[in-house]
């Protein structure tokens, strides 16, 4: 925060706070007379206009071309969130409702989907949950099913319940008994380890022992190298999003070109994953307001995120995407609590 902003008068802070709160509630530019009444300050509209001019010079407010009133900038919202916002904790009933809807008896994919839907339905914005990258997942069990001489269906379980299938192509035919022995070997020696460790360490050690290994070991090596190979489509990560069409309800999203670009960004996923990956390495709730995201497509949006995890390990991040005039006092605790409850449900489900 610059010295000029730190030295703002109490009246200027009051006016900015009033402006932000009214803009969040109404979504419209605010004129001097409306701010004079709403702020409770005993000053003339002319004085308020002078203060607002100072705030505009500092980049905290701006005047839309179509109105004489002013709206907060991303910088103004940042000052509001950092210095003026009072977050309202969720009450016991709201906590109970959230907890009930993240049922630990649900499958892990269902938990991620439910969390995203909850964030969307409560905030009436877009809810997003970044899925754990597969390299963070714990390997539990694997089976190989021969399809023909060159193809094998791999069925594996990660994180207790997540069942995934993959078809791999082999360099030579394998018999059913060879595949069964290889699966038994891998299940016995590597169950419980995460896939990153298996790829980076265990397979390297197995290859080093190839010359002295028996036939079973060689078969297990050959199958494991293909089965545990990283999937290029998963390298960039993935997420579950619900409620993106809620954004159509906000007037600032009425620009068709901007809206099309935003939904194309949702579909490509790369930019959002980059933004959410930055949030995942930080502790607690993170807020990106407007251009703070680094992407022009988000200039009218804010992203509020929090990391979630299980067994003491961060697995991913979840959050809400909505207009910069979102009710931060409401959204922040919803995101924070949902992240904690998702982590608790994942712990119990494991």
């Amino acid at each position: 925060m610059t010295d000029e902003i730190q030295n703002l008068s109490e009246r200027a802070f009051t006016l900015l706070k009033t402006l932000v709160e009214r803009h969040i509630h109404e979504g419209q530019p605010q004129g001097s007379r409306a701010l004079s009444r709403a702020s409770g300050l005993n000053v003339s509209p002319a004085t308020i206009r002078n203060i607002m001019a100072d705030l505009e010079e500092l980049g905290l407010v701006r005047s839309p071309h179509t109105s004489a009133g002013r709206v907060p900038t991303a910088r103004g919202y940042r000052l509001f969130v950092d210095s003026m916002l009072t977050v309202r904790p969720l009450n016991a009933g709201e906590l109970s409702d959230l907890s009930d809807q993240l049922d630990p008896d649900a499958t892990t994919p269902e938990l991620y989907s439910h969390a995203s839907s909850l964030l969307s339905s409560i905030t009436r914005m877009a809810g997003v949950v970044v899925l754990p990258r597969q390299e963070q997942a714990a390997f539990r069990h694997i089976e190989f099913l021969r399809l023909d001489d060159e193809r094998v269906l791999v069925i594996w379980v990660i994180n207790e319940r997540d069942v995934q299938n993959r078809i791999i192509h082999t360099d030579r035919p394998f018999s059913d008994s060879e595949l069964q022995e290889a699966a038994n070997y891998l299940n016995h020696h590597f169950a419980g380890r995460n896939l990153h460790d298996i790829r980076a360490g265990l397979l390297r050690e197995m290859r080093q022992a190839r010359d002295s290994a028996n036939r079973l070991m060689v078969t297990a090596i050959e199958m494991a190298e293909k089965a545990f190979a990283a999937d290029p489509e998963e390298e960039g990560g993935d997420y579950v999003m619900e409620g993106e069409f809620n954004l159509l309800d906000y007037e600032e999203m009425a620009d068709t070109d901007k809206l099309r670009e935003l939904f194309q960004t949702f579909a490509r996923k790369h930019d959002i994953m980059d933004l959410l990956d930055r949030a995942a390495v930080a502790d607690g709730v993170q807020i990106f307001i407007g251009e703070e995201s680094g992407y022009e497509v988000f200039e009218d949006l804010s992203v509020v995120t929090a990391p979630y995890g299980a067994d003491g390990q961060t697995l991913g991040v979840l959050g809400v995407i909505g207009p910069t005039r979102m009710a931060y006092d409401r959204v922040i605790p919803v995101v924070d609590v949902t992240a904690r409850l998702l982590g608790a449900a994942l712990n119990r489900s494991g």
Side-chain angles (χ1 to χ4, degrees), residues 32-214:
S32 299
R33 292 189 182 278
L35 289 173
S36 177
R37 292 192 299 268
S39 66
L41 294 175
N42 188 23
V43 295
S44 67
T47 300
I48 289 182
R49 283 193 292 272
N50 289 335
I51 295 174
M52 296 306 293
D54 293 339
L55 293 176
E56 187 164 4
E57 186 174 345
L58 291 172
L60 299 172
V61 303
R62 63 182 179 85
S63 300
H65 297 302
T66 57
S67 170
R70 289 178 171 86
V71 298
T73 63
R75 194 180 190 193
Y77 268 113
R78 170 54 64 188
L79 180 59
F80 171 79
V81 168
D82 289 346
S83 304
M84 308 175 192
L85 182 66
T86 301
V87 174
R88 298 185 292 123
L90 303 184
N91 61 43
E94 292 169 324
L95 287 172
S96 178
D97 289 343
L98 281 172
S99 183
D100 289 345
Q101 295 182 66
L102 288 175
D103 182 1
D105 290 332
T107 65
T108 302
E110 287 173 341
L111 283 173
Y112 296 137
S113 179
H114 292 170
S116 179
S117 295
L118 273 175
L119 291 168
S120 171
S121 63
I122 293 173
T123 64
R124 302 306 303 163
M125 299 178 216
V128 60
V129 178
V130 175
L131 304 179
R133 280 182 165 80
Q134 197 176 73
E135 65 181 16
Q136 298 174 307
F139 165 66
R140 299 301 180 189
H141 184 81
I142 197 166
E143 294 181 18
F144 299 114
L145 179 63
R146 186 168 63 89
L147 300 177
D148 54 39
D149 286 346
E150 296 180 347
R151 296 185 305 152
V152 173
L153 174 64
V154 182
I155 306 170
W156 58 353
V157 181
I158 59 175
N159 293 338
E160 300 296 347
R161 300 187 188 187
D162 297 348
V163 180
Q164 299 187 10
N165 299 325
R166 175 186 291 184
I167 295 176
I168 60 174
H169 295 265
T170 60
D171 298 327
R172 66 174 181 86
F174 288 93
S175 68
D176 292 337
S177 60
E178 284 181 307
L179 296 177
Q180 184 62 59
E181 289 176 347
N184 290 342
Y185 181 89
L186 295 172
N187 291 330
H188 177 72
H189 286 86
F190 303 134
R193 295 181 180 268
N194 69 54
L195 301 185
H196 179 270
D197 285 347
I198 293 174
R199 290 168 181 155
L202 298 178
L203 291 181
R204 182 171 58 250
E205 294 173 11
M206 291 168 67
R207 284 197 297 270
Q208 291 172 354
R210 187 189 297 267
D211 291 340
S212 60
N214 58 31

